[in-house]
Amino acid sequence: MLENSFGVQLSYASVDAADGADPRPAARELLVHLRVPAGLIDADAAWGESQQEAVVAIPITDAGFVLTLTDQDVIATTLTAGELRTAFADAGLTLWLQDSDDGCCDDGGCDDGGCDDSEADALVTESFDEASDISAEFDAAPVRISVFSHRGPSAARLIAQVNGLDVEYIESGSWSLLRFESEDPTNAGVAAKAELPVIELNRVDDGGDWFEVTTNGGVHQFWPDAERHTVPVMDLEALTVPETAEICRRLLSDGDGSRDELVQIAAHSRLDVAGAHRALQPEALDGVVGTRARQEAFLAAFGVPADLIAAVFDEAGSSDTDLEVLRFGPDGWGSTLGEILVDGMSGFTPLTRRDRPLARVAGALRRNRLLAAALSIGELALGVAASRRRGFSRFVGILLIVDAIADLAIGVVRARRGR
């Protein structure tokens, strides 16, 4: 590593003013004066109103120094986090910033003497208790969940039954979409690696939508609007050193670590990392503009078909798509298992494997009912013959008879339903 290399991460901190006024103009002016290449969340755009609190993203090195720029636009590390807090205090602002060298922040302000682990644990416990008390006063709001994967319709049946939900299932190419609403986490286990990735879009009324992406490498969460309204406090285009401008731009667009997670996902699944990252980075730094557009771009980066993406926002059924919508409900385990048997192998076969020989043969037999019936009758006859013998042959014969009768019964049900 180069001698002058160092690690930098973005630390998110809130700012409030002693007089209760909007602290953003003063915070921006101070950060520009100190030449800190920070980011500031535009509260008017993010929440539709002025706030009595500002949120800033400040680059801090692993050694606890705030990143600043010299008059020659060269990166410097001479300002400490404590000195930055003092500068905010002198301007009538409180910067709620914590770093490892300067101690903890609590209701009494920041303490340069630091705090021990027991005090930090107490603060965390108190915060969780307060959050629990607040959340207990409100009923859980339903989440509109859209799950993209390569799963077949039998997975939708199981999710509906296990979770007691009404589930809509739509297919397009090798992708499927499950739509449902739930106030609780759902059990939607993956039966085979070929069903991956599973991309779950969770939408809520307050605008805090998020994605959960499941691959062989685990589960990753992304909030597409988290950095949407973050804007640089400095004019990066006016910097005279191109390398410095690029570093500052990358800090604000990559500082949340989302690009690194996308690279991890790309190691297990097809993914346009650049396209997905544009859906997560600030609009002011070449990010996709608009909440819906960001969600659509994120899904498209995984190769999800456009008509299936459009179906996510078509709860009223008003789009021009010709996709068939299947609806499943919690009809009881007996009915659910019976329907899964009627669906047959194709219901559980991942959509990416429907062109495999075994799946194609099963599909051909399902379409040709006479051929399927003939094979079942042949299996029945073979089973009857084998059951007349002794030993293991008799056992195999009984299994063949049971399977043949079940196949014939399922074939009759399919014929009556036109399936």
Side-chain angles (χ1 to χ4, degrees):
M1 181 178 290
L2 295 177
E3 184 178 350
N4 61 347
S5 297
F6 49 84
V8 182
Q9 64 180 5
L10 283 181
S11 291
Y12 292 84
S14 61
V15 181
D16 54 59
D19 58 3
D22 184 351
R24 289 174 299 159
R28 179 190 293 272
E29 181 179 354
L30 178 58
L31 290 169
V32 171
H33 173 71
L34 296 174
R35 296 187 61 78
V36 179
L40 177 67
I41 294 182
D42 185 346
D44 290 335
W47 300 293
E49 58 182 4
S50 295
Q51 302 288 303
Q52 293 182 332
E53 180 180 82
V55 178
V56 292
I58 299 174
I60 297 182
T61 69
D62 293 340
F65 289 93
V66 177
L67 215 66
T68 58
L69 305 182
T70 67
D71 293 337
Q72 293 74 37
D73 293 339
V74 176
I75 292 176
T77 55
T78 56
L79 180 68
T80 68
E83 291 170 342
L84 181 62
R85 283 197 296 266
T86 299
F88 269 80
D90 292 342
L93 303 172
T94 301
L95 175 65
W96 299 95
L97 175 68
Q98 176 184 343
D99 76 284
S100 58
D101 291 335
D102 288 321
C104 306
C105 293
D106 56 19
D107 292 339
C110 290
D111 174 5
D112 287 344
C115 61
D116 58 28
D117 291 341
S118 61
E119 292 175 351
D121 291 341
L123 289 175
V124 172
T125 302
E126 181 181 352
S127 299
F128 273 111
D129 290 342
E130 291 177 357
S132 299
D133 293 339
I134 294 173
S135 62
E137 299 176 5
F138 300 92
D139 294 331
V143 180
R144 300 186 300 280
I145 303 174
S146 303
V147 185
F148 299 85
S149 69
H150 302 295
R151 290 182 287 195
S154 290
R157 293 189 187 277
L158 284 178
I159 291 173
Q161 179 59 36
V162 170
N163 298 283
L165 301 170
D166 293 322
V167 178
E168 294 183 339
Y169 176 86
I170 310 174
E171 282 185 18
S172 179
S174 63
W175 285 88
S176 65
L177 165 64
L178 281 66
R179 298 190 308 203
F180 51 90
E181 289 190 6
S182 177
E183 297 177 358
D184 304 306
T186 55
N187 296 316
V190 177
K193 289 183 179 180
E195 296 177 351
L196 298 173
V198 176
I199 309 164
E200 181 177 302
L201 170 58
N202 300 270
R203 292 182 295 150
V204 290
D205 292 335
D206 64 4
D209 303 348
W210 76 95
F211 284 98
E212 293 184 10
V213 181
T214 303
T215 68
N216 294 343
V219 180
H220 304 263
Q221 293 184 322
F222 301 93
W223 282 263
D225 280 356
E227 301 297 332
R228 177 184 171 191
H229 299 293
T230 298
V231 295
V233 298
M234 300 182 65
D235 184 1
L236 301 184
E237 300 298 328
L239 298 181
T240 58
V241 180
E243 293 80 5
T244 299
E246 180 60 21
I247 289 174
C248 295
R249 187 176 291 106
R250 291 189 61 181
L251 272 173
L252 294 177
S253 61
D254 301 358
D256 61 351
S258 59
R259 186 179 183 87
D260 294 336
E261 287 196 73
L262 293 173
V263 171
Q264 294 178 27
I265 293 174
H268 301 276
S269 305
R270 171 192 169 188
L271 174 62
D272 174 7
V273 173
H277 188 242
R278 284 195 64 241
L280 302 175
Q281 66 190 68
E283 292 182 356
L285 296 171
D286 301 324
V288 177
V289 178
T291 294
R292 175 169 172 173
R294 292 168 76 85
Q295 295 174 0
E296 291 176 338
F298 189 84
L299 292 168
F302 285 88
V304 178
D307 53 359
L308 213 57
I309 296 175
V312 171
F313 307 96
D314 182 38
E315 290 91 346
S318 59
S319 72
D320 297 330
T321 179
D322 295 327
L323 298 177
E324 179 184 8
V325 180
L326 304 179
R327 294 175 173 84
F328 307 112
D331 300 324
W333 279 109
S335 176
T336 298
L337 294 177
E339 292 296 332
I340 288 176
L341 288 174
V342 173
D343 286 342
M345 180 184 294
S346 63
F348 267 118
T349 301
L351 305 187
T352 53
R353 291 184 174 176
R354 283 187 173 175
D355 58 348
R356 300 287 180 88
L358 184 60
R360 293 175 64 181
V361 169
L365 291 176
R366 181 166 180 169
R367 289 188 296 271
N368 193 328
R369 297 193 181 97
L370 292 178
L371 178 59
L375 289 176
S376 296
I377 293 173
E379 182 184 16
L380 178 62
L382 181 62
V384 171
S387 65
R388 292 175 179 175
R389 299 183 179 182
R390 296 180 179 180
F392 184 71
S393 296
R394 180 180 178 83
F395 174 72
V396 173
I398 294 175
L399 291 180
L400 290 174
I401 292 173
V402 172
D403 184 64
I405 293 175
D407 288 343
L408 287 171
I410 291 172
V412 171
V413 174
R414 288 174 178 170
R416 287 180 175 178
R417 298 182 180 180
R419 293 166 56 182

